[in-house]
């Protein structure tokens, strides 16, 4: 039986990808690297330092910076990103997500968060949906980021449920891989081209309902 639903944040609950992109574009520009929205797809669900590594590789500058310098660049990006998320408010919740959280809670299921973002707790508060979450995995305590299963497993462990009793919801291919490796049922939101491994796929958050997800799980 399903006991819990574990959500990714960026791309599932709200769309912070554009804000991450603006912050990275500014920092990458200072390094002489120009990134575009197509490249940005490769940063979704990837943690902060992992994102910087991908940007440097894209710009052919993988070996140009020391670890200390990279940490400073990542810190600058985060300072700028934190300014951008000051404006986040309940209107930024993606369509259908608030009613889905209400529906899941009414159904008696637990709700967890498995975001790679260290800013996730702040964003969840700004969206005014903190009360729905029974557990939030802490990415700063996780050894291996997505696509490793660690973050989804930590959320299940805090919720005190087995991974097989969880449905994970993700928009990024690294995230779907993470859910599958954790042994959970994976719901993908977005482009089938990137999310081939999902057990159940919808085009947008509006199509996510408790009934559809449980139906898909029953059919698996
Ligand atoms: P931060 P998710 C991810 O969020 C973003 O998709 C990714 O672009 C970002 O680099 C990562 O969080 C880390 O975020 O720099 O705020 O710690 O999709 O896992 O909710
Ligand atoms: Mg995401």
């Amino acid at each position: 039986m399903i006991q819990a639903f574990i959500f990714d944040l960026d791309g599932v609950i709200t769309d912070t990808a554009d804000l991450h992109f603006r912050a990275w574009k500014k920092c990458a520009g200072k390094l002489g690297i120009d990134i575009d929205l197509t490249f940005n797809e490769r940063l979704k669900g990837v943690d902060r330092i992992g994102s910087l590594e991908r940007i440097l590789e894209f710009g052919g500058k993988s070996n140009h910076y020391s670890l200390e310098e990279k940490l400073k660049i990542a810190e600058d990006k985060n300072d700028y990103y934190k300014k951008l998320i000051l404006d986040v408010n309940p209107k930024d919740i993606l369509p259908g997500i608030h009613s889905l959280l209400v529906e899941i809670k009414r159904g008696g299921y637990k709700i967890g968060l498995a975001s790679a973002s260290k800013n996730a707790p702040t964003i969840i508060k700004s969206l005014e949906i903190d009360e729905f979450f029974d557990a939030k995995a802490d990415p700063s305590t996780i050894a291996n980021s997505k696509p490793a299963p660690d973050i989804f497993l930590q959320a299940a462990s805090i919720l005190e449920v087995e991974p097989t009793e969880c449905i994970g919801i993700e928009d990024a291919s690294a995230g779907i891989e993470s859910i599958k490796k954790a042994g959970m049922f994976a719901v993908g939101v977005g482009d089938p081209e990137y999310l081939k491994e999902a057990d159940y796929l919808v085009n947008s958050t509006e199509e996510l309902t408790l009934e559809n997800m449980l139906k898909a799980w029953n059919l698996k």
Side-chain angles (χ1 to χ4, degrees), residues 44-174:
K44 287 188 178 174
V46 178
D47 66 11
R48 201 178 304 160
I49 207 76
S51 298
L52 176 58
E53 299 287 5
R54 287 189 185 202
I55 290 168
L56 294 177
E57 198 190 329
F58 178 72
K61 298 194 172 180
S62 282
N63 301 315
H64 288 214
Y65 302 95
S66 66
L67 178 61
E68 220 167 80
E69 286 168 325
K70 285 184 203 169
L71 292 173
K72 176 75 179 76
I73 298 165
E75 194 186 318
D76 286 349
K77 180 265 174 177
N78 195 46
D79 286 344
Y80 186 48
Y81 179 69
K82 283 201 317 213
K83 283 186 193 139
L84 295 176
I85 59 172
L86 285 176
D87 289 338
V88 170
N89 66 73
K91 288 191 191 120
D92 296 312
I93 300 174
L94 283 168
I97 291 295
H98 193 275
S99 53
L100 178 65
L101 291 170
V102 171
E103 210 185 352
I104 292 174
K105 264 275 122 97
R106 278 203 194 125
Y109 302 93
K110 293 178 179 177
I111 301 181
L113 185 74
S115 169
S117 175
K118 291 175 180 137
N119 296 293
T122 308
I123 295 169
I124 289 289
K125 281 198 188 86
S126 302
L127 295 172
E128 296 177 13
I129 51 173
D130 195 49
E131 62 187 291
F132 289 105
F133 290 87
D134 303 294
K136 293 190 202 86
D138 177 359
S140 65
T141 63
I142 277 162
N144 307 298
S145 50
K146 298 172 190 177
D150 305 29
I151 194 133
F152 278 92
L153 289 175
Q154 191 191 84
S157 156
I158 306 171
L159 291 170
E160 298 181 332
V161 294
E162 292 300 321
T164 49
E165 297 171 326
C166 297
I167 290 180
I169 309 166
E170 262 285 353
D171 70 310
S173 77

